[in-house]
Amino acid sequence: MTTRHTMHSPAPAAPRATDAARTPAIGDHGVIGDLHTAALVARDGTVDWWCAPRFDAPSVFASLLDAERGGGWRIAPADVDTGAWSTAQRYIPGTNVLVTTFTSPAGALEVTDFMPVGPGRGTCAEIHRRVRVVRGVLDVRVTFAPRFHYAQRAPSFIIRQHGLVAWDGHDDALTLAAPPGTRWELAAATAACTLRLRGGTSTWFVLRFDDDDVHAVDDYRPAQKYEATRKWWTQWTAQLDYAGPYRDVVERSALALKLCQYQPTGAIVAAPTTSLPEQPGGGRNWDYRYTWLRDSAFVVFALDRLGFPDEVHAFLQFLKRVSRRGASQHIQIMFGIDGRRELTEQVLDHLSGYRGARPVRVGNGAATQFQLDVYGELLETLAIWSRHQQVSEGLWKVLRDLVDWTAHHWHEPDFSIWEARQEPKHYVFSKVMAWAALDRAIGIATRQGLPADLDLWRHAAEAVHADVLANGWDASRQTFVQAYGETQLDAALLVIPKVHFLPHSDPRVRSTVEAVRRELRAGHDDLLYRYRAPDGLSGDEGAFIVCCFWLAQALLLIGDFDEGERIFQSLLGRVNHLGLMAEEIDPDTGEQLGNFPQALSHAALLNTAYILERLRPRYQGAARP
């Protein structure tokens, strides 16, 4: 017998939470994914963020951005909100299979979450949830409240023999396969059930996007897909080429980065979320579900060094695809994961935002900005990669066009790495990275005998280098500055020794590192703000995680090995309970801020770990400088 239960938009409040204060902290989550999309799972057993069928699709669960209206899917002990239960999360080692554990004197419950990857994925995005009672006889409550299209469409439920269908009234549907005999309660556009399970028993729920048939749970082979997914991840992790003392956190960062790559095109999202705030209650809330070429360059730089060539190759295919417009205009700094260029920014007024932080945005207006530094990040990465790979004719055509454009336009003002929403400036970091693009391209062409206008590139590299030294250096304060003619500093200047713009031993490098560390310090710890200058936006922000890792890298490179490693270890103490990081840290509370998990943060961790192990033999057993 089929039963239909219908509710209409706007989406009603779900029963899970009554106010935004109950939204779990940003860092209080794990992430699962299938290389097409990703879901966040809170320690309270709720899937509170999932866009399907891919990263940049509208959400079907978004209680992370509106506890009352966003929708979620919770599995937990029926009396979990009494406070008698403690919770914990862990990953199955070497995988992105997540286990959430609930423990009390009454018993223990495990919820294991994963999305199938590899050959077992099939054609639909799926979330598999295994419910296992470890101890006791427990009532387990399942609350399923999807809210389609960023919570603008409430579902109609159709109860089927083996579960139910949730339909948005338009084009999208979800099917939820449930254990045999499940009795559903339907109210307020929410389906719920309670299962009584004894210790040692387990059962499965399987959620599929874009389906309208519900088969028996066993027909989806969840146990077999669990084993296949676990094996796929452990085989991928086995490629990791790292032998240092930080293996666990390095492995977790690599796994987090892999979850950010969109397998069909090779694109890499900056993060799988949108609008998680950079300040509690603030308005600096951006959509990161797109591919920044800069961020992607840092990611593939890290993955290449750690032994993952397939990910690098996939991204290079994406880069070639989106760069076919030639050298007539600057390259767009970000793209959709399918390569699209139009990323119109919109505000979703109906969502209250994470713990009241509004606005909630989709799309990103920074896509149209001219950011000169992106040429340097790309060429820096590809210069390292080309030391053990031959650059193909097609890829070199793309790179040569980019470098030619840099040679002709490096002198123009831009918006630079931090995407200020004000008039462009002559940012020192951008000029340094323009020099890096020219310098690395000259090296690639020379080593591999590739056709290039080397005279043009050398002349431009010399000119930009001299320009930075003449206009970007503040002799009275003995530091490089953020922009020509201004006095404020920029933590991005810490990259100067990494790209060899000046020798590591140059006193200007050391004094700049010291000035940045002194003037951009956040609180009383080793945290840094990225800058403290007006940027055309209201509100404030937290300490920027990538800049903190850059500080550790800069200290390592200029010879302060012990201090660089100390800061690295301090930052490792900032990861969440699973080893994941957002974009920023609140220097007052230590809470993670911004979109999560953040690819750029994890790439910076990996690159710092790599530099540590490369330099360690130089300092082991020797007097520290």
Side-chain angles (χ1 to χ4, degrees):
M1 180 177 180
T2 296
T3 303
R4 180 182 295 271
H5 180 80
T6 305
M7 295 292 294
H8 300 285
S9 299
R16 174 180 163 256
T18 57
D19 61 77
R22 293 186 62 187
T23 303
I26 292 170
D28 212 17
H29 289 84
V31 61
I32 58 174
D34 63 357
L35 312 183
H36 291 68
T37 184
L40 268 58
V41 185
R43 277 201 282 195
D44 70 355
T46 302
V47 180
D48 57 13
W49 178 255
W50 187 40
C51 298
R54 62 187 214 179
F55 292 108
D56 58 354
S59 64
V60 293
F61 300 130
S63 56
L64 186 64
L65 295 181
D66 191 317
E68 295 184 13
R69 295 177 179 82
W73 178 21
R74 190 182 194 185
I75 299 178
D79 61 344
V80 69
D81 291 327
T82 63
W85 295 84
S86 61
T87 63
Q89 282 184 320
R90 62 183 174 88
Y91 281 108
I92 301 298
T95 79
N96 281 310
V97 177
L98 182 66
V99 181
T100 303
T101 303
F102 301 84
T103 306
S104 82
L109 173 71
E110 283 185 351
V111 179
T112 300
D113 293 316
F114 73 95
M115 297 178 69
V117 294
R121 180 184 181 274
T123 59
C124 293
E126 298 179 350
I127 296 178
H128 291 238
R129 312 194 76 181
R130 183 179 67 187
V131 183
R132 176 173 175 261
V133 173
V134 179
R135 172 175 52 85
V137 179
L138 301 179
D139 288 334
V140 179
R141 186 69 171 174
V142 180
T143 306
F144 180 62
R147 299 291 184 266
F148 292 95
H149 209 272
Y150 301 114
Q152 294 179 98
R153 299 173 185 168
S156 300
F157 287 116
I158 306 171
I159 296 178
R160 297 273 175 84
Q161 180 181 357
H162 300 294
L164 53 81
V165 176
W167 176 53
D168 75 340
H170 296 267
D171 301 319
D172 293 333
L174 294 166
T175 60
L176 180 59
T182 299
R183 298 177 63 86
W184 292 102
E185 310 156 21
L186 303 178
T190 298
C193 65
T194 301
L195 308 176
R196 173 158 290 188
L197 298 175
R198 296 183 176 276
T201 63
S202 63
T203 191
W204 290 89
F205 289 84
V206 178
L207 179 65
R208 289 166 57 88
F209 180 82
D210 197 25
D211 201 356
D212 58 6
D213 252 338
V214 189
H215 302 285
V217 168
D218 288 346
D219 291 346
Y220 297 107
R221 301 180 294 111
Q224 295 91 328
K225 288 184 179 181
Y226 167 82
E227 289 299 331
T229 297
R230 184 191 60 79
K231 181 178 180 181
W232 192 94
W233 281 117
T234 55
Q235 289 176 338
W236 184 86
T237 307
Q239 301 174 72
L240 179 63
D241 183 13
Y242 174 82
Y246 305 107
R247 170 77 191 199
D248 288 348
V249 72
V250 165
E251 179 180 279
R252 179 51 50 198
S253 286
L255 284 161
L257 291 184
K258 181 60 177 173
L259 281 180
C260 290
Q261 187 161 42
Y262 182 59
Q263 189 176 56
T265 66
I268 300 167
V269 296
T273 58
T274 181
S275 300
L276 295 181
E278 298 176 15
Q279 179 188 32
R284 294 176 181 240
N285 315 323
W286 313 107
D287 193 346
Y288 276 22
R289 298 171 299 153
Y290 307 114
T291 298
W292 273 255
L293 295 186
R294 172 197 306 108
D295 295 38
S296 299
F298 282 115
V299 170
V300 299
F301 190 89
L303 293 177
D304 179 59
R305 285 178 158 186
L306 293 172
F308 297 101
D310 291 347
E311 286 67 28
V312 179
H313 177 74
F315 173 72
L316 293 180
Q317 294 301 111
F318 177 80
L319 175 64
K320 286 195 292 184
R321 177 186 172 195
V322 300
S323 303
R324 288 175 182 158
R325 290 189 176 184
S328 61
Q329 64 182 51
H330 71 83
I331 191 168
Q332 186 163 314
I333 61 151
M334 77 174 83
F335 298 86
I337 55 176
D338 55 359
R340 76 187 188 281
R341 291 171 167 80
E342 298 298 326
L343 304 176
T344 304
E345 190 171 296
Q346 304 173 57
V347 172
L348 303 181
D349 286 323
H350 65 284
L351 293 177
S352 63
Y354 171 82
R355 295 185 175 179
R358 302 181 73 181
V360 173
R361 293 182 173 96
V362 295
N364 199 303
T368 60
Q369 289 187 351
F370 165 44
Q371 297 177 16
L372 180 63
D373 64 286
V374 69
Y375 298 88
E377 283 100 2
L378 287 172
L379 268 297
E380 167 77 0
T381 293
L382 293 171
I384 299 295
W385 174 82
S386 69
R387 293 176 184 174
H388 56 84
Q389 297 285 341
Q390 180 65 40
V391 177
S392 69
E393 185 177 14
L395 178 59
W396 183 243
K397 170 62 168 62
V398 167
L399 299 181
R400 191 175 63 199
D401 285 347
L402 297 179
V403 179
D404 282 343
W405 200 94
T406 305
H408 289 294
H409 296 274
W410 66 264
H411 57 278
E412 297 177 7
D414 78 319
F415 293 92
S416 200
I417 183 172
W418 306 131
E419 301 178 353
R421 299 206 173 185
Q422 56 186 8
E423 291 300 310
K425 300 179 181 181
H426 292 283
Y427 287 96
V428 171
F429 175 75
S430 293
K431 306 299 187 190
V432 167
M433 295 311 295
W435 172 86
L438 294 158
D439 180 78
R440 301 313 188 264
I442 292 167
I444 296 171
T446 302
R447 283 195 307 271
Q448 298 200 6
L450 298 168
D453 191 342
L454 292 178
D455 288 340
L456 170 67
W457 294 359
R458 289 189 179 110
H459 176 77
E462 292 169 1
V464 68
H465 197 277
D467 193 64
V468 170
L469 296 182
N471 297 299
W473 174 254
D474 185 336
S476 64
R477 296 163 63 214
Q478 290 293 293
T479 183
F480 287 99
V481 293
Q482 183 178 49
Y484 290 1
E486 300 184 0
T487 60
Q488 63 266 17
L489 300 188
D490 185 343
L493 299 169
L494 295 168
V495 174
I496 286 176
K498 184 173 181 288
V499 299
H500 304 282
F501 182 79
L502 289 173
H504 298 163
S505 59
D506 192 297
R508 290 169 292 186
V509 173
R510 176 174 288 277
S511 61
T512 297
V513 172
E514 292 171 350
V516 167
R517 189 177 187 185
R518 180 177 62 252
E519 296 189 25
L520 295 181
R521 188 174 184 179
H524 304 287
D525 215 330
D526 298 311
L527 301 176
L528 292 179
Y529 295 113
R530 51 182 176 169
Y531 54 82
R532 299 297 286 164
D535 57 9
L537 297 166
S538 61
D540 213 333
E541 61 184 22
F544 224 75
I545 292 175
V546 68
C547 298
C548 303
F549 281 114
W550 286 348
L551 174 61
Q553 292 174 21
L555 291 168
L556 293 168
L557 291 169
I558 65 176
D560 290 346
F561 186 88
D562 285 345
E563 182 65 359
E565 184 165 29
R566 186 194 67 78
I567 290 176
F568 179 70
Q569 292 172 343
S570 174
L571 292 171
L572 296 189
R574 300 283 189 171
V575 302
N576 82 342
H577 58 290
L578 294 166
L580 301 175
M581 291 181 294
E583 182 177 39
E584 301 179 15
I585 294 171
D586 187 325
D588 295 325
T589 66
E591 185 174 349
Q592 301 212 24
L593 298 171
N595 285 304
F596 176 90
Q598 177 79 4
L600 192 57
S601 298
H602 286 282
L605 184 156
L606 293 176
N607 286 323
T608 310
Y610 175 86
I611 293 171
L612 266 169
E613 299 319 306
R614 180 168 63 84
L615 295 181
R616 191 180 300 281
R618 182 184 304 177
Y619 296 105
Q620 280 182 333
R624 297 290 194 253

